[in-house]
Structures are given as structure tokens and as C-alpha cells.
Amino acid sequence: MTTQQPHWHLLGAGAIGCLYAGHLRSSGCDISLIMREGTSPASLPIITEHGGIRSEQHVPVVTPNSHAPISHLVITTKAYDVSEAVASIAHLLSEDSVVVLLVNGMGLAEQLAADWPHLNIFCGTTTEGAYCLAPQHIQHTGRGKTRIGKQGEKKPPPWFEQWSDAIDTCLWDSDIEAALWSKMAINCIINPLTALHNCANGELSQDPELITQVTTLCGEVCKITRAAGFTAIAAALPQLIAGVIAATANNRSSMLQDVENGRRTEIDYITGFLLQVADQHGIDAPHNRALLKSIKSHQC
Ligand code: KPL
């Protein structure tokens, strides 16, 4: 007996969203993009450029006014758009709809679960690199790892096989909270510093003033990480940060790109979340607090 493959819907057709939609579609998965009301084409081409090779996948489009129920949803919006985006399609979700939240920062799964307790929420994090050349036209800059998991679930659900077949390195992570924390800790240091100093990630290990700032911020993040119970991550954080800076030396961080394009940043879900945890543990983190303030004063 063959089990029926789920139909996925994707909310948030930015660079990472298009990367997943293109990969899932090209491996034969049934997937539709959820676009704003008024989007007229019944399908859109997703163009991916990678290593000089261009591929194109036509993906069906639906809008929040459509009546198609959503059983499996991937969310790749900006962190601050998640609540409103889910609210716009909440009438299409059912009792046990699966939601895969692949969004920067932390705290969103808890917020979603509080607003829509019936959803079956999984979280993910990725080190895939991509940016938009034009709407639904992306440059895939670097292959990375995607980790998906759900707190307390050791084994992946049946649908995960589709993902591991479609996405180059897609792993089930039975400790997804640690993976999300580790990514957030890295983003707390690299993203605001590169956004404020308008530099590529690699500058953070070249410029003496920036090297000092990385060390100071890292000290505060380590303390909070340890207090939050992620002791192994706290111990490895300085090497982890140095490794990511080296591996992504030519990248312009997502926060720098947001600032350059006049978009709101995701700082509230990165440094903002870290500082909430610091407050819960009575830890002072003046350098991260100052960075949060500077980034917020830069954004419209
Ligand atoms: O995740 C990133 C981001 O830019 O958001 C890093 C790892 C810092 C790579 O640029």
C-alpha cells in the first residue's frame, strides 16, 4: 500500500522560501506558494542560480481567499511577519495541520502555539545561503545544512523523508532547541555588528576594534547561554563564532541586507530574545543591550 504524499503550502517566498519550494518541487513534491491577495498567475516560475547553472520550477500559487485546506505548511517569512501571515490563512488550517517554522530567531514557535494551540509545530534552522536577484529569482550562494525537529520527538514523522530526499543536507535533530539557540547566539554577534559597521562577516576577524567587540559580546552571550542550560554550546561558542565568520567571510549578513534595503530587522527575535532570557536570570548584558538600541535607532 502506498501512503499519500502531503500537499505542502509555503508562506514567505523570499530567498530561502524559494530555495525550498524549488527543491521540493523538483524532487516531485506537491507544493503551492501562498501569495498576497490579488496575485493573478495560477503558477509562478522559481528560478535558482547555483554555480553557473540555472534551473526553473513552475510552482502553483494560491491566495488566502482560496478554499483549499492546508494540511502541511512551511513558514519562511521574516520573523516579525509570522503572526500576521498565519492569521491570514488560519481559516484554511485544520485541527492537526503540520507547520514547519523555518524562521530566524527564537520565541516564535511558543507564540504560535499560544495563538493556535491545535497546530502541530516543528522548528527548523538552516545554514543554506541564498539571496534574491528579483522576485522568485534567487542566487543560491552556498550549500548548508537544514535541521528540523520538534521538542521531545526523537524520531522524524513520515513526511520528513520527502524533505531529506529533496533538500541536500536535511537532518532530523532530536535536540532542535539547542540548534536554534546556537544559531541565535551566532546571529546575536555577527548580524548586528556587520549591520552597524556595514561590513562583510569576515571583517569581524580582521579589524582590531571589531575583534574586541566580538570577544566582549561573546562573553555576555556565553553567560546567558550557560544560564539557559546550554552549557556545551556556551563552552564551544567562541570557536563556533570564529568558524562561522571564517566560513561566511564574504557574506553580507541578513541583518546588513535588511538595513541596506530599508527593511525592518529581526533584532527583536535575536538580541531581543537573548536579553529577555538574560533578564529572567538577572544577568547584565550591557553590550548586547547597547547593540539592540543602536540597530533599532537605525531602522525606520
Ligand atoms: O545566519 C546568518 C545571517 O546572515 O543571518 C549568518 C550565519 C551570520 C551568515 O551571514
Side-chain angles (χ1 to χ4, degrees), residues 33-65:
L33 301 180
I34 305 172
M35 301 297 278
R36 280 205 182 82
E37 219 45 72
T39 309
S40 46
S43 75
L44 280 171
I46 289 185
I47 304 168
T48 307
E49 316 266 357
H50 184 73
I53 297 170
R54 179 188 169 103
S55 59
E56 189 168 325
Q57 299 295 327
H58 285 259
V59 181
V61 169
V62 298
T63 63
N65 262 354

Side-chain angles (χ1 to χ4, degrees), residues 20 100-103 122-128 144-150 156 159-160 163-164 167-183 186 240:
Y20 286 124
V100 179
L101 193 58
L102 268 155
V103 175
F122 295 78
C123 291
T125 179
T126 188
T127 53
E128 292 274 12
K145 283 194 181 106
T146 299
R147 296 175 181 279
I148 296 178
K150 180 175 169 129
W159 58 258
F160 182 74
W163 280 67
S164 57
I167 317 293
D168 271 339
T169 310
C170 187
L171 312 164
W172 180 256
D173 195 326
S174 57
D175 193 5
I176 193 69
E177 278 300 300
L180 295 174
W181 185 281
S182 165
K183 177 81 185 330
I186 291 165
L240 204 59

